[in-house]
Amino acid sequence: TACDRRRPAWAGIVVLGGYGDELRTAVLRAKRPAGDRVAAALARLLVDRHRDTLAAWSIDAVVPVPMHWVRRLVRGTNLADEIARGVAGALGVPCRRLLARPRATTMQNRLPPAARHGNVRGAFRARAALAGRRILIVDDVTTTGATLAACAEAAVSAGAAAVYAAAVARADGGASADA
């Protein structure tokens, strides 16, 4: 729909690279148990590539895209958490879980691109007022931008002064990123 194609609520986005070859392999490895060292390396690479842009954004906190508690229980970890911690450490700002995902949704990679915005619309909420804060929302892979946009909308609704986004990889809009 036309609403799904509107400008996202984030003010800028940085991505390390395309979701293919070695970067895809690294993301998948980081999602496995004991993948925290790979996640930390990906975070460092992301920050190193975009350090000037990230510094210009004057970020107050790095916020991982939250995972619904059931999915987190099954998976055991949230790669977005691991990457966000690494990004925050490299930038010298706090990593905070300022967003929650109270509604379970179908995994985005199981849906056609056209259905992804509707799937996550309203799935996120801020855990507290974000008045005046400048936050960077971090995810592992973005395809349509639907998840990052839904998170950004929740942050803006909670009063964030500015919301930015970062992802390790960008999948082709027609491709499906692995779980």
Side-chain angles (χ1 to χ4, degrees):
T1 67
C3 290
D4 290 341
R5 291 187 296 273
R6 71 178 184 264
R7 182 170 159 69
W10 66 71
I13 185 169
V14 295
V15 177
L16 178 59
Y19 187 69
D21 301 327
E22 290 85 13
L23 191 53
R24 178 181 179 276
T25 300
V27 168
L28 293 175
R29 185 172 295 151
K31 289 185 180 197
R32 293 187 194 128
D36 52 340
R37 287 186 11 215
V38 177
L42 291 170
R44 280 192 306 275
L45 289 169
L46 178 63
V47 171
D48 288 348
R49 174 161 289 170
H50 298 290
R51 189 171 298 279
D52 292 342
T53 299
L54 293 165
W57 289 346
S58 301
I59 296 160
D60 297 317
V62 176
V63 179
V65 169
M67 184 179 279
H68 187 266
W69 69 270
V70 171
R71 189 166 302 144
R72 186 178 183 100
L73 182 66
V74 169
R75 201 177 268 178
T77 187
N78 179 4
L79 182 53
D81 280 346
E82 300 299 322
I83 295 167
R85 273 196 289 279
V87 168
L91 295 175
V93 298
C95 181
R96 301 279 187 254
R97 289 185 178 166
L98 298 174
L99 297 175
R101 189 178 200 145
R103 182 168 61 85
T105 58
T106 301
M107 290 178 62
Q108 293 286 73
N109 65 341
R110 295 189 177 151
L111 298 171
R116 294 179 183 188
H117 283 275
N119 183 50
V120 292
R121 185 175 296 118
F124 303 96
R125 68 167 174 75
R127 293 178 182 266
L130 301 177
R133 296 186 90 164
R134 302 173 64 81
I135 64 169
L136 177 67
I137 298 171
V138 174
D139 207 356
D140 56 347
V141 179
T142 185
T143 303
T144 63
T147 300
L148 289 168
C151 287
E153 288 168 12
V156 167
S157 293
V163 178
Y164 302 94
V168 168
R170 167 88 170 119
D172 178 319
S176 178
D178 302 285

